[in-house]
Amino acid sequence: MTRWLLICRQPLIHQLEISKMTITKKLKIGIVCYPTVGGSGIVATQLGIALAKLGHKIHFISYQRPFRLPTQSKNIYFHKVPINTYQLFRYPDYTLPLAVTMTDVHTKYKLDIMHVHYAVPHATAALLAKQIITDHQKIKPFKVITTLHGTDITLVGNDQSLKPVICYSIGKSDGITAVSKNLATETKKIFCINNPIEVIYNFYSPKKITKSPQLIRRELGLNKNTFVISHASNLRPVKRIPDLLKIFSQVEKKHDAKLLILSGGDFSPYLPLAKKLKIEKKIILKQNVADVENYLNAADCGLYTSDHESFGMSILETMSYGKPVLATRAGGVPEVITNRLNGLLYQVGDINGFTSGIDELINNKKLWQNISSEGKIKAEHYFSAAKMVKKYLDYYSKILAQN
Ligand code: GMT
């Protein structure tokens, strides 16, 4: 085993000890994210929790407590952004109250860094807050670090109307990170960004399994031998849910199979297609489940058909539980999965390719086993919390050292 692998296999706490050496000063960090079910919120929350464990003071700022943030935790504070509903405004605004909350939190706690996840409106609000602090409060402002998660960038690919504000917000940030090389390249291509973009991959710390696969399967009324295909997402159009259903309909014609959808969005627009394909009784829909890990762990593989994915957080989560993932060769996904080594990749829309991939996994236990263990190794060692938290800390020190 290489030395690198040996280091990676140290317990998490020990690895986090290593990053203590990276920054000795305890930092005060604002973390701004979307609090709802979604990869960016999960990553931001995990990062904040890990940094708090290292002794840094973490101030989460959002309109609602991030769903995976424990209610009480040492070094973690939550500041709720009040949303005004004045009659005068036709649409409630979020950017301005967010900027005001950031200003207030900084005035009280003197943050070193405001780490925002998503350029709009979070980086925009942070830059406004920084300007107010500099001009009117006469106190040292924070550095703004913006992490790009993808949707801002892909959104602008289709809708140019927000381009000037996204360009400005990314370009004026003190530091920019992206969750994959693909996203960093796309950002540079679409926007007028000359500043360097640091690639720091997403990471996932597997949760303790609290319900055995047998228990979950019993709860879902599944036979022992039913092949369960999982999919976890917000079901946005980018996820190409019709492809998911078409693939499953071909699979279930040949095999005893079920499609387990862990959804953070509305499935009803897809119901007519599910009925047309006569698979509605074979779909198990679980809405906004808190213990996603128990369900991913009870399934046999994961299926992701997106036409774009900057990273694919659910893919990483599924791999962490040793379940082979079949996904599209889209965006940053090939940086997470190496085809036929630790997962299976197909072109967007390749329904037949995906179907034969699932066939192979069902019929070839050795292939299933190899992909399962290689995927788990990649998730645990390459995308480990220790490694990525250290990268963020190193990046923070670099940005803080700049004038
Ligand atoms: O994919 C979504 O609809 C949710 C979105 C989010 O805000 O969580 O996901 C984006 O950020 C994740 C975390 O970095 C990435 O893993 C997802 O790939 C990315 N989604 C897209 O690029 C479509």
Side-chain angles (χ1 to χ4, degrees), residues 32 41 46 93-94 103 112 143 157 188-189 202 245 266 271 340 353:
V32 183
Q46 289 191 142
D93 172 59
Y94 185 55
T103 310
D112 298 291
K143 297 276 187 185
K188 291 207 162 199
K189 215 178 343 167
N202 286 334
L245 301 183
D266 182 14
L271 210 51
R340 300 201 72 86

Side-chain angles (χ1 to χ4, degrees), residues 324-372:
V325 172
L326 303 96
T328 40
R329 204 176 267 111
V333 175
E335 293 169 58
V336 182
I337 291 179
T338 305
N339 189 31
R340 300 201 72 86
L341 174 69
N342 45 38
L344 296 173
L345 294 178
Y346 301 91
Q347 290 311 110
V348 174
D350 183 4
I351 312 279
N352 292 337
F354 272 107
T355 308
S356 34
I358 298 176
D359 258 351
E360 265 194 275
L361 287 178
I362 294 176
N363 296 327
N364 184 344
K365 291 279 171 282
K366 183 142 176 33
L367 179 73
W368 188 96
Q369 193 52 59
N370 286 347
I371 293 183
S372 156

Side-chain angles (χ1 to χ4, degrees), residues 23 25-33 51 55-62 75-79 81 98-116 122 125-127 129-130 133-134 137-145 174 396 399-400:
I23 279 193
K25 183 189 166 213
K26 297 294 173 231
L27 298 176
K28 284 171 273 174
I29 304 163
I31 292 191
V32 183
C33 65
L51 291 169
H56 304 285
K57 302 266 186 236
I58 308 299
H59 295 264
F60 280 91
I61 302 174
S62 194
N75 295 332
I76 290 184
Y77 309 85
F78 172 65
H79 308 274
V81 179
L98 177 59
V100 171
T101 310
M102 288 175 175
T103 310
D104 289 348
V105 172
H106 183 70
T107 308
K108 194 160 173 205
Y109 298 98
K110 314 284 180 302
L111 305 181
D112 298 291
I113 286 164
M114 189 67 80
H115 186 171
V116 300
H122 299 162
L127 293 172
K130 187 172 177 175
I133 291 159
T134 312
Q137 312 250 357
K138 311 284 183 219
I139 53 174
K140 191 174 170 228
F142 44 71
K143 297 276 187 185
V144 177
I145 294 183
D174 298 297
Y396 290 166
I399 297 301
L400 285 169

Side-chain angles (χ1 to χ4, degrees), residues 297-333:
N297 186 53
D300 296 292
C301 74
L303 181 56
Y304 291 88
T305 49
S306 304
D307 63 28
H308 186 87
E309 206 64 63
S310 65
F311 181 90
M313 196 56 193
S314 303
I315 294 175
L316 176 61
E317 291 185 78
T318 310
M319 287 163 73
S320 302
Y321 297 106
K323 308 299 162 182
V325 172
L326 303 96
T328 40
R329 204 176 267 111
V333 175

Side-chain angles (χ1 to χ4, degrees), residues 38-40 118 149 179 202 234 236 239 308-313:
S40 61
Y118 269 108
H149 285 274
V179 299
N202 286 334
N234 51 22
R236 288 196 301 136
K239 309 291 173 186
H308 186 87
E309 206 64 63
S310 65
F311 181 90
M313 196 56 193

